[in-house]
Amino acid sequence: MKCKRKPVTIAMASLTALTLLLSACSGNTGGNSESGGQSGNGGTSNNSGEASGNEATQGQKEKQQITILSSNAAGFTPNVPNWDENIYVKKFRELSGYDVKFEFLSANDYNTQLTLRFASNELADLVYTGSIESPAHAGAVEQGAIHDLTDLIDKYGPNLKASIPEHVWKAPEVSKNGRIYAIPALVPHPHTVAMYIREDWLKKLNMEMPKTLDDWLEYFERVKTEDMDGDGDPNNEYGFMVRENFGSSDAFFYEFGVALNHWVMQGDEFVPSVITPNMKDALEFWRKLYKNGYINPNAFTNKYADWQAGITSGKAGSWLHYVDNLASFWSPDKFINQPDAKPVIIEPPVGPKGQGIGLANTGMYYVWIIPAGVKDPERVIQFLDKAWSDPEIQKFNSFGIEGHNYEIVNGEIKWDPEAPNNVDDSQNLLYQINMNVTGHSLNNDEQVKLSPYAAELQRGFEISEKYKIEAESMYMPVMEAFKTRPELLPNFGNGDTLLIDMFARVITSDVDINTEFDKFVKEWRSRGGDEAIKEATAWYKQYYGK
């Protein structure tokens, strides 16, 4: 999870789960709706009957049913013994005005199970998936296995169109050939990648916040030589901590005009930036980091747990991660025997060819599709339209049930992440993630503003948003050449791509950078890269009309 998906008080358990999801990332409240009933757009009669906005009337009429097939993405739904009697399901039914029935399949083999469900036609009104092009239901669009929702959304989903940004509807996970086949579910803050630095170390070194690459190199040199943790060994602290396959570690690239998975026009070709000559400057810089001991020597094998432990034990002067984790993994109390620890989020370095961090993305968490077997898809669109627009449903997805998960005190929400009804079996993740059909609410603004780290988190989100790397390839589908030859992917993958092989060889040795890089580009192109570029260029010219 690209993966890549990283916020009253932000629950540490909530943010830990989000971190796992992002590592393994809010709809507005427009529209006319009434608490406990359907919106004005959600009560249109159809073959299944009508749900009234009046609870007494609802008791006399059968609620429309909505079945949902999803993944237990947070891993906590198996702890629910009976969904029909579950307090959160009952509340959600009350708020939505629909008889909602959930079925959650294991996240460990969800795609395999989904393939079987499509084969047997044992689906639901709404089906969770990563993309309309998911291998779990390959060819579903072409075979007419899922509904074309374009006209239905225009007619029955005005709040969907108002709440979900226009550019998201253009994403290949949602649309094909100008038609919409899925409804996106979003994360509240789509851009949360950020640089962290030890402000207390800067103070100890009598240094200002680094801005340029030279400033950062000076900071790294001081960290390396001045024994920041005071254990007598000046060589066991590192300016920047890197983890295995450069997960959450791909900093110091965009300053040179390149970034993993970033495509640019080079002449008349749309190519991965990492095969352009700019990559040579990035290689030279990273070789300096490695050779000078500014990064940990086990950079390519450093496991996630060891990476995290290295940072919190005081061995890192800076690192890359998600803004959300400032309130959990990187809160000062997590830094062992370091009472003065002050990790803060900092603006990315200014380089000769850019200043940015984290590729721009659509903010999509997953998508919903409606199988062709659903006879009245407008009913399902109306349900989602209600979920996206009703403030009471959104409050439920953020804080749960009043009197059970939170209280109202002097007109303000008081929500304790450590209260038994939130922390036991991680119940908060049921209403914030698993039952939240709009995406997740772990770092939405309503939660952020009530966090003890509210100012720092908001500043972090603003920095990450401001310095996101604009990417014209954001809407580009995966190239066919990459589907059969993943070693060609323009990223470090799981340590199994041609790119990371070349990168590791160059920065850890004295081989000639020009020679090795040119050799890599030639091999990459000959093994299928040229096909990918041809396909990507055709897509680019057609999509952007250039």
Side-chain angles (χ1 to χ4, degrees):
M1 3 171 132
K2 310 254 285 15
C3 46
K4 266 240 74 10
R5 240 91 278 16
K6 302 9 192 6
V8 166
T9 300
I10 295 184
M12 290 168 57
S14 299
L15 289 174
T16 300
L18 176 61
T19 301
L20 294 174
L21 291 169
L22 291 173
S23 302
C25 337
S26 304
N28 70 36
T29 56
N32 53 344
S33 57
E34 297 175 347
S35 176
Q38 288 212 326
S39 70
N41 299 301
T44 304
S45 297
N46 59 34
N47 294 334
S48 299
E50 178 179 352
S52 168
N54 183 283
E55 196 62 34
T57 305
Q58 287 180 357
Q60 300 171 15
K61 291 185 178 182
E62 183 179 354
K63 291 181 180 179
Q64 297 180 87
Q65 187 178 99
I66 296 288
T67 57
I68 298 176
L69 180 64
S70 189
S71 164
N72 61 342
F76 299 99
T77 54
N79 297 329
V80 178
N82 185 339
W83 280 104
D84 279 335
E85 296 302 317
N86 180 265
I87 184 175
Y88 299 106
V89 172
K90 288 183 175 181
K91 187 63 176 180
F92 188 48
R93 288 170 175 168
E94 172 193 332
L95 295 174
S96 69
Y98 289 83
D99 179 18
V100 184
K101 293 185 179 294
F102 290 95
E103 180 182 4
F104 292 97
L105 303 179
S106 170
N108 294 328
D109 60 350
Y110 182 77
N111 283 339
T112 299
Q113 294 183 73
L114 188 55
T115 298
L116 296 175
R117 290 299 187 97
F118 264 90
S120 63
N121 202 31
E122 296 180 74
L123 296 166
D125 295 325
L126 275 176
V127 175
Y128 165 104
T129 187
S131 167
I132 60 175
E133 301 283 6
S134 170
H137 41 78
V141 171
E142 292 77 10
Q143 296 165 17
I146 58 178
H147 276 289
D148 181 334
L149 305 176
T150 314
D151 300 330
L152 291 171
I153 292 172
D154 286 339
K155 185 174 183 179
Y156 298 103
N159 293 308
L160 290 175
K161 295 302 285 282
S163 301
I164 299 172
E166 182 178 356
H167 72 270
V168 180
W169 296 103
K170 301 176 183 178
E173 294 88 350
V174 174
S175 297
K176 190 167 187 176
N177 299 324
R179 305 297 291 178
I180 296 172
Y181 293 92
I183 302 97
L186 306 181
V187 299
H189 291 279
H191 304 111
T192 67
V193 177
M195 285 286 292
Y196 285 79
I197 195 168
R198 289 286 297 265
E199 188 175 33
D200 54 308
W201 284 18
L202 286 170
K203 183 177 180 181
K204 183 177 180 179
L205 295 169
N206 196 28
M207 296 183 70
E208 300 292 329
M209 285 284 181
K211 294 181 179 180
T212 67
L213 289 176
D214 286 341
D215 294 339
W216 279 88
L217 289 175
E218 181 183 358
Y219 173 60
F220 292 163
E221 177 64 20
R222 297 285 298 279
V223 168
K224 177 181 182 293
T225 58
E226 300 199 22
D227 190 19
M228 300 306 298
D229 65 358
D231 67 351
D233 183 356
N235 294 311
N236 64 357
E237 297 97 37
Y238 308 100
F240 183 70
M241 184 68 78
V242 179
R243 71 179 173 95
E244 186 179 28
N245 303 325
F246 280 60
S248 298
S249 303
D250 53 338
F252 306 111
F253 284 97
Y254 193 63
E255 293 80 1
F256 303 101
V258 300
L260 304 184
N261 296 313
H262 187 216
W263 292 64
V264 297
M265 283 301 295
Q266 184 182 51
D268 195 41
E269 292 183 322
F270 195 51
V271 305
S273 63
V274 292
I275 73 163
T276 68
N278 287 341
M279 186 64 176
K280 296 178 182 180
D281 295 330
L283 288 167
E284 184 177 354
F285 186 84
W286 271 98
R287 175 182 279 183
K288 182 180 296 184
L289 297 185
Y290 186 87
K291 293 282 190 178
N292 290 354
Y294 297 158
I295 63 173
N296 44 304
N298 65 339
F300 293 93
T301 59
N302 194 22
K303 299 295 185 182
Y304 182 87
D306 296 328
W307 171 80
Q308 181 183 351
I311 294 170
T312 56
S313 64
K315 301 300 181 185
S318 64
W319 60 97
L320 188 76
H321 212 208
Y322 303 108
V323 173
D324 318 71
N325 301 115
L326 175 64
S328 53
F329 284 9
W330 316 126
S331 57
D333 60 293
K334 298 298 187 298
F335 287 74
I336 305 165
N337 298 323
Q338 300 165 77
D340 297 325
K342 190 176 181 181
V344 297
I345 292 171
I346 185 174
E347 294 186 350
V350 177
K353 294 184 179 177
Q355 182 183 18
I357 193 161
L359 288 183
N361 66 83
T362 61
M364 202 178 310
Y365 195 35
Y366 58 87
V367 302
W368 294 112
I369 54 176
I370 303 177
V374 176
K375 301 304 181 184
D376 51 352
E378 63 273 12
R379 165 179 52 91
V380 188
I381 297 296
Q382 290 168 335
F383 162 72
L384 288 175
D385 195 71
K386 169 78 170 179
W388 270 99
S389 62
D390 190 290
E392 291 302 315
I393 294 178
Q394 293 173 357
K395 185 191 295 184
F396 166 78
N397 285 141
S398 291
F399 308 122
I401 302 170
E402 183 179 354
H404 185 73
N405 304 102
Y406 71 93
E407 303 289 344
I408 300 292
V409 179
N410 296 326
E412 295 184 355
I413 291 176
K414 299 296 181 183
W415 182 79
D416 180 3
E418 301 304 320
N421 287 339
N422 289 318
V423 74
D424 289 353
D425 285 335
S426 298
Q427 290 181 53
N428 62 297
L429 298 182
L430 293 180
Y431 55 80
Q432 292 176 329
I433 298 179
N434 295 102
M435 293 176 59
N436 187 345
V437 296
T438 68
H440 79 66
S441 58
L442 295 183
N443 64 359
N444 68 20
D445 289 337
E446 292 304 308
Q447 289 199 341
V448 168
K449 72 181 182 182
L450 296 176
S451 167
Y453 298 95
E456 295 92 334
L457 285 164
Q458 191 57 49
R459 177 177 175 272
F461 289 134
E462 290 171 358
I463 288 174
S464 189
E465 179 68 29
K466 178 180 180 180
Y467 292 104
K468 66 180 182 291
I469 300 170
E470 297 293 349
E472 291 181 304
S473 56
M474 180 166 62
Y475 308 109
M476 187 171 72
V478 177
M479 299 296 97
E480 289 297 323
F482 294 159
K483 293 179 181 179
T484 55
R485 284 158 284 189
E487 72 276 7
L488 297 177
L489 286 167
N491 56 46
F492 290 160
N494 292 318
D496 52 5
T497 63
L498 295 179
L499 178 64
I500 197 171
D501 286 347
M502 180 275 295
F503 185 83
R505 185 168 58 254
V506 166
I507 75 167
T508 61
S509 70
D510 295 318
V511 297
D512 183 72
I513 290 177
N514 289 323
T515 300
E516 288 298 316
F517 178 76
D518 292 345
K519 186 190 305 181
F520 153 73
V521 173
K522 182 178 181 180
E523 180 182 7
W524 186 88
R525 280 181 171 272
S526 67
R527 289 177 58 169
D530 276 338
E531 297 172 33
I533 289 174
K534 183 178 179 180
E535 185 183 353
T537 303
W539 169 86
Y540 177 86
K541 291 181 177 179
Q542 185 277 327
Y543 189 88
Y544 289 103
K546 298 181 178 180

